[in-house]
Amino acid sequence: MYQDIVGFSLTTPAWLHTFAEVGTDAGLFLFAALFVVAAVRAWRGPARDLALVIAGPAGIVGAYVVSEVVKLLVREDRPCRGGVATIAACPPLGDWSFPSNHSVIAAGAAATLVLVWRGLAWAVFPLAAVMAFSRVFVGVHYPHDVAAGFLLGVALAPLFTLLLVGAVTPAVRLARARLLGGKGDPAPQPGAWPAGRSGGGAAPRPGPGGYVAEPPANRSVASMSRSRTPGSE
């Protein structure tokens, strides 16, 4: 399969060769820009959403580190060794092939972005798949290299992100409270009067000893019923 893909790629126009070589790295910059947009979008939302965006890059790095360890253990040579004609220059000796780090990063970025912005799934997963395939197209990876890298990125990057988000969320709340002058996430106040209850208006405030006064409308209804009870005067 590798030979078929590389043989086909050499018959394509020169502009597509350039696009395939540059497109993988350009796609990583696009993912970085999407993380910035996701952070701006999550700024006014729940603290956990912003924490997911912040922890996402760390989760991707964790998946990348795992892929590097696997590379050192497997030590699979590049398929472009031995004089195979390819679009891209063959990486130097010692730069192992399995799994594809580009595929790990692309798939990991897509998966972590979808954790907080599900509407991006239709765009980021196909983009990650094209970026992964481009590594075979230019001749520097076997198909199974990019498939394994894609699976590692999709599985490990969001997992590491979710493991970190519990520690990042309190820091986000604290930073947001300081930047907004003490206003953190909106939270229900203890003792608040249930919405839609007769009497409307603002929730009653606790009085001395923690006693919550009855709303005026309810108090007037109770007074009227007492006044109509025989013997109440």
Side-chain angles (χ1 to χ4, degrees):
M1 182 183 291
Y2 169 80
Q3 294 287 353
D4 292 338
I5 295 173
V6 171
F8 169 75
S9 71
L10 293 174
T11 67
T12 56
W15 65 265
L16 186 57
H17 297 182
T18 303
F19 180 79
E21 282 195 88
V22 176
T24 304
D25 293 330
L28 297 181
F29 283 107
L30 177 58
F31 275 122
L34 286 174
F35 269 102
V36 174
V37 175
V40 173
R41 181 176 177 271
W43 175 252
R44 293 291 181 180
R48 187 176 184 275
D49 286 355
L50 184 56
L52 281 170
V53 180
I54 295 171
I60 298 168
V61 171
Y64 170 82
V65 170
V66 171
S67 73
E68 279 293 301
V69 172
V70 174
K71 273 180 180 285
L72 294 175
L73 293 175
V74 176
R75 301 171 73 88
E76 177 190 75
D77 213 352
R78 295 278 180 168
C80 46
R81 297 274 181 261
V84 178
T86 58
I87 293 174
C90 200
L93 288 170
D95 189 345
W96 308 111
S97 188
F98 181 90
S100 164
N101 287 337
H102 280 83
S103 301
V104 171
I105 296 172
T112 51
L113 276 169
V114 171
L115 283 178
V116 69
W117 194 350
R118 294 184 181 179
L120 285 180
W122 67 271
V124 293
F125 280 122
L127 174 60
V130 170
M131 291 169 61
F133 174 75
S134 72
R135 305 306 290 164
V136 183
F137 188 83
V138 300
V140 296
H141 279 291
Y142 290 109
H144 65 264
D145 297 338
V146 299
F150 200 94
L151 290 175
L152 277 176
V154 166
L156 295 182
L159 174 62
F160 291 147
T161 300
L162 291 172
L163 290 175
L164 291 171
V165 73
V168 177
T169 303
V172 169
R173 288 198 182 102
L174 179 61
R176 180 183 284 173
R178 289 183 176 179
L179 290 173
L180 299 179
K183 295 180 180 179
D185 288 340
Q189 297 296 322
W193 199 257
R197 185 77 177 265
S198 61
R205 298 179 178 274
Y211 173 77
V212 178
E214 187 180 7
N218 286 0
R219 190 166 58 247
S220 61
V221 171
S223 301
M224 290 172 62
S225 51
R226 282 196 301 269
S227 63
R228 293 176 181 177
T229 303
S232 61
E233 297 180 354

